[in-house]
Amino acid sequence: MLIYLQLIDDPSDRSKFERLYLQYRNYMFVIANNILKNEYDAEDAVHQAFISIAKNIHKISELDCTKTKSYIVTIVEHCAIDIYRVKKRKLIEELDEQVIGIEFEAPRTSALADAMAKLPARYRHVILLKYDSGYSNQEIAKILGLSYEGVHSLVQRAKKKLAELLEEEGITI
């Protein structure tokens, strides 16, 4: 944990990070391990996720809210998917975005929630970071390690796919 704390200057942010680390580290490992099916790779994904979180800890206000949990899940999934892609490139196989990502039961509270649950993980991540967490495309690019243009086109594709899913439910935008 000392490595992560060295990335944080503010003492209150360090304290917040320590609490976050203790509260979510096992949860993050389970998510990464479900994607990667390898404990060592899952540990690497969690480590990369904590580095990203440490760099952006000042943007987290509450530890026990759904927004923070969503942010953490998004970051660890993205890190795990990156590791998965690197490993699969070595084996010359493509990533199936429909398969990778944490699966969850749609909350059945609205058509939008149902459509979000059906989105590929990569699209769901970028939509949540942009519209739920309020990050700009430039901030998302930094968090996910993508170019600004890549994030911009990813957001556009995600919005288009979400609109298609909503239209299938009879909701026009």
Side-chain angles (χ1 to χ4, degrees), residues 5 8-18 54 57-60:
L5 293 176
I8 305 169
D9 294 330
D10 184 34
S12 65
D13 283 345
R14 282 184 181 183
S15 174
K16 185 188 330 177
F17 182 85
E18 286 179 46
I57 192 68
H58 61 281
K59 296 179 182 178
I60 297 174

Side-chain angles (χ1 to χ4, degrees), residues 65-107:
C65 69
T66 57
K67 196 173 194 178
T68 299
K69 192 171 186 178
S70 172
Y71 173 72
I72 288 170
V73 168
T74 300
I75 296 302
V76 76
E77 278 188 341
H78 180 76
C79 291
I81 290 169
D82 284 348
I83 290 171
Y84 178 86
R85 283 188 179 140
V86 168
K87 290 183 84 71
K88 287 300 177 181
R89 280 188 196 131
K90 291 179 183 175
L91 299 174
I92 312 173
E93 291 182 19
E94 282 191 35
L95 169 71
D96 182 1
E97 289 185 344
Q98 296 291 348
V99 174
I100 299 302
I102 188 169
E103 293 183 20
F104 61 96
E105 183 67 30

Side-chain angles (χ1 to χ4, degrees), residues 27-134:
Y27 180 66
M28 292 169 68
F29 178 80
V30 169
I31 292 169
N33 199 34
N34 284 340
I35 293 170
L36 296 166
K37 310 289 190 242
N38 180 312
E39 290 182 13
Y40 300 110
D41 291 339
E43 288 175 5
D44 289 344
V46 171
H47 170 71
Q48 290 174 7
F50 273 124
I51 288 174
S52 179
I53 292 168
K55 289 178 181 178
N56 294 291
I57 192 68
H58 61 281
K59 296 179 182 178
I60 297 174
S61 57
E62 296 179 37
L63 297 183
D64 293 323
C65 69
T66 57
K67 196 173 194 178
T68 299
K69 192 171 186 178
S70 172
Y71 173 72
I72 288 170
V73 168
T74 300
I75 296 302
V76 76
E77 278 188 341
H78 180 76
C79 291
I81 290 169
D82 284 348
I83 290 171
Y84 178 86
R85 283 188 179 140
V86 168
K87 290 183 84 71
K88 287 300 177 181
R89 280 188 196 131
K90 291 179 183 175
L91 299 174
I92 312 173
E93 291 182 19
E94 282 191 35
L95 169 71
D96 182 1
E97 289 185 344
Q98 296 291 348
V99 174
I100 299 302
I102 188 169
E103 293 183 20
F104 61 96
E105 183 67 30
R108 304 283 183 228
T109 55
S110 69
L112 178 60
D114 291 342
M116 285 293 292
K118 293 177 185 175
L119 280 176
R122 187 170 176 88
Y123 290 168
R124 189 172 59 247
H125 293 168
V126 76
I127 292 288
L128 288 172
L129 286 171
K130 177 131 179 111
Y131 298 106
D132 185 46
S133 298

